[in-house]
Structure formats: C-alpha cells, structure tokens
Amino acid sequence: MPILNRIAEFHDEITAWRRDLHAHPEILFDVHRTAGIVAEKLKEFSADEVVTGVGRTGVVAVINGRTNTSGRSIGLRADMDALTIFEKTSAPYASTVEGKMHACGHDGHTSMLLGAAKYLAETRNFDGRVVLIFQPAEEGGGGGKVMLDDGLLERFPVDEFYGMHNWPGLPLGHFAIRTGGIMAATDRFYITINGQGGHAARPQQTIDPIIVATQMVTALQSIVSRNLSPLDNAVLSVTMIEAGEADNVISSTAKVTGTVRTLDGKVQDFIEQRLTELVPQFAQSFGATATIRYARGYPVTVNTADQTAFAAAVARDVVGSDRVNDDCEPSMGGEDFSFMLNERPGAYIFIGNGPSSELHTDTYDFNDDAIPVGVSYWARLIEKALPVR
C-alpha cells in the first residue's frame, strides 16, 4: 500500500499544523497551547472521547472502529514538548519564543498522529478501538511515566503500544526498526571527592581532589573497555568536573558527573555495581574519600519480537520492502516511550527525515515531506492490526 490518497489530500493541512506548533514551542509539562490545539482538533474530528490533563498536560483520545467484535485496543503515542535551544534555521515558521525550539521533531510527531486521527475518525475501517496518546515532557521530564502513574492504562486499556520518531540521515520514505533494545537506558552518576585543601605552592601538604578526579576519569573508562564484553553495548561518559575557586588554592572537594547508556538490563546493573565499588576504593588509594549517587533515568526502549515484525510488515506495505531496515543499529539516546513498552508489548520505529541537521541542534527541522509517509504508516497499522471481518 503506497501513500493513501485521502492522506495525501490533507498533507498541506497537516504541514500547516506542524509549522504552527514549530513556531510556538513549549517545554516539558508546560505544553498548554499545544495540548489545547490537539484536544480541539480531536474534537473537531469527532473522536469518541477526548480527555485532557492526563499526566498533568497529556491528551488522550479514543476512536472506535466500525465494529468492535475483537475487543482489542491499540495505543499510538506522540510527544509534544520542545527543547531549550535558540533556533538558527531562519525558517519563516521559526520559533517565536526565544530560547525554545522544536529541535527533536515532536511538532512533526504530534502533527502526524493528528493526521492519523483525522483519517481514522473519517473512515473507521477497523474492528476495535484506537487510543491516541499525546504526551508531554519526553525531553527529560519522564512524561510517559507520569501519564502511566496517572492511570493511563486503567482509564484507557490498551493491548499494544506503538511509537515513532523521525531520524535524520535515514532517507526520506524509509523506515528502520529492530527487535530488542532500540534506544538506551539513560542513567547518571554524581561523584563527590573529599580531599584536604591547602596552598597551591605546597601541594605536598594536601590531598588534591583534582588529581584524584582526573585519574578517576581514566579509571572509569576501564569499566566498559576492560570489564564488559566488546559485544555489549555500553557508553560511560564523564561530562562535568567541578573544583576550585582560586588559582592559588587547592580545593578540598571535587565533583565528577556523567552518564551511562546501556541497551541491556544486566549490563546496566553491572556498571552501576562496578561504579559504586570502584569510586570509594579508588579515592582511598590517594588518601581521599568519595561518595557516588547513581540515578537511573529512562529504561531501555525494548521492542518485542512479534510487534516489531508486525510494524516492519506495515512499513513495507507503505514504502516497499527495499526501504525498510528491520535490523537497524540501536541508538544510545534515550526515550521515555520505554515506560509504556515496559507495561505492554509494542514497537518503536524510526522514520526517515532525510539529510537534515541532527536532532537537538539549533539548525534541525522536521521534514514535512515525511508527513504522508508517517500518517499512512499509522493508518495502515491500525487497519492491519484490527481488520474488519
């Protein structure tokens, strides 16, 4: 099935929605304008139920099929929030809010799911029901978990979840997916090293925490390079070192902060254990002390096998077999759709954004030519998952 004719007919309309959202970015849970537009359009499309304020500012809509003999429900999710970045695209629809920008394409994700809602409400060519989830605060706020904690599944039961993200560098009209971990767990660590400060001219009378910190950074790299199999996917990056206030004083404390990314729960557990063991012992070897706080963030985004195969088949129906990679490389970036996939089986797929700037950069822009591809994928997924008998 190529791009649906009806969807192609309102490509320009969806593009206009997307560009309006792009011009008015909102951050984390403060997506009141965006959520209001989403709810208004869902009601305009005659969705059977539209509920706002789920997970603070999330919007959930239900569209019933022509029949419901299957009793099944499929959840489709899009994220709505932007990032704190100063836009430099010079697009006519560039951000009108200084310091805020849709630099990850959530404006496109929201608009594509709204386009699917319009089509599905018009045609209702499926047996069962669709739950459309418009989520706030994906960019670090864990909005997916907040919606779940607010009773998302109790209020709107679903059997499976599906999500989609645009992917710069993946050609337009292409999809990529894989079974298992497709996006990484995003953990953080915070290390405080306590030494003995003193005059910079008499370092022998101090226990210099900066020396401990710089040596520790090298030691931390051995956790991945020498403790894990080369076949395991893991990243440990030190991103901040803080110490000192004057050029002639050796500080008494230093702080080391970083992130850990993993695609397997066992690897995640191992790195956390090794960090908590290594840090105090390493500091002690210099006569210093150190504490570590390890904070788990988004879990691994895990695609289940059956739903991944199904999503890939749907994508092939839309764009052709030669344009779907069903064993793509995983990303070490994080995604809070992982919380939903922890609750129900499902699949997360990448849709090509073409040769655009990278995500989270000030020159990034969602490719509007991807809109009919993404909307057709959503429509076909529902019609194939919930066929009318």
Side-chain angles (χ1 to χ4, degrees), residues 143-379:
K145 185 176 188 302
V146 175
M147 292 188 80
L148 289 166
D149 290 345
D150 197 23
L152 175 66
L153 286 173
E154 292 76 18
R155 298 160 71 180
F156 309 95
V158 301
D159 300 298
E160 299 173 358
F161 279 119
Y162 292 90
M164 186 194 312
H165 203 296
N166 77 95
W167 211 245
L170 183 65
L172 188 69
H174 286 237
F175 288 95
I177 196 169
R178 74 189 305 268
T179 299
I182 190 168
M183 300 283 279
T186 58
D187 299 343
R188 293 173 174 83
F189 58 87
Y190 305 88
I191 298 169
T192 299
I193 300 167
N194 295 297
Q196 181 177 318
H199 199 293
R202 295 185 289 275
Q204 73 279 8
Q205 296 177 3
T206 71
I207 300 173
D208 190 343
I210 295 177
I211 294 295
V212 180
T214 56
Q215 297 294 315
M216 185 180 289
V217 169
T218 301
L220 294 180
Q221 302 308 309
S222 69
I223 294 176
V224 172
S225 66
R226 291 297 179 269
N227 287 224
L228 292 174
S229 165
L231 301 179
D232 290 326
N233 297 98
V235 173
L236 189 158
S237 293
V238 173
T239 55
M240 290 189 288
I241 299 178
E242 302 173 77
E245 296 179 353
D247 59 11
N248 62 347
V249 177
I250 292 176
S251 175
S252 60
T253 62
K255 294 182 179 180
V256 177
T257 304
T259 186
V260 174
R261 306 296 175 102
T262 52
L263 288 165
D264 181 273
K266 292 181 180 178
V267 174
Q268 181 185 29
D269 291 343
F270 176 81
I271 292 179
E272 179 178 3
Q273 178 184 346
R274 287 295 296 130
L275 268 171
T276 55
E277 291 171 349
L278 184 151
V279 166
Q281 294 174 5
F282 188 87
Q284 186 178 16
S285 70
F286 285 81
T289 61
T291 59
I292 178 170
R293 180 170 68 88
Y294 192 95
R296 295 209 172 193
Y298 295 170
V300 182
T301 304
V302 180
N303 285 344
T304 46
D306 290 347
Q307 285 69 31
T308 301
F310 172 70
V314 171
R316 292 187 189 100
D317 283 351
V318 176
V319 298
S321 296
D322 60 334
R323 293 187 168 199
V324 178
N325 179 358
D326 62 5
D327 190 24
C328 70
E329 289 187 359
S331 168
M332 300 310 282
E335 168 58 64
D336 81 342
F337 186 59
S338 54
F339 290 109
M340 296 185 187
L341 291 181
N342 276 351
E343 299 297 326
R344 296 291 186 274
Y348 192 67
I349 197 167
F350 299 140
I351 181 172
N353 203 55
S356 69
S357 296
E358 282 299 318
L359 302 171
H360 291 216
T361 63
D362 56 14
T363 57
Y364 165 85
D365 194 11
F366 180 83
N367 191 335
D368 291 320
D369 289 337
I371 287 172
V373 181
V375 178
S376 294
Y377 168 81
W378 283 140

Side-chain angles (χ1 to χ4, degrees), residues 14 29 54 79 82 114 117 119 133 151 189 198 224 275 319-320 327 334 378:
I14 302 173
F29 292 97
V54 181
D79 34 22
L114 279 175
Y119 173 84
I133 302 157
F189 58 87
V224 172
L275 268 171
V319 298
D327 190 24
W378 283 140

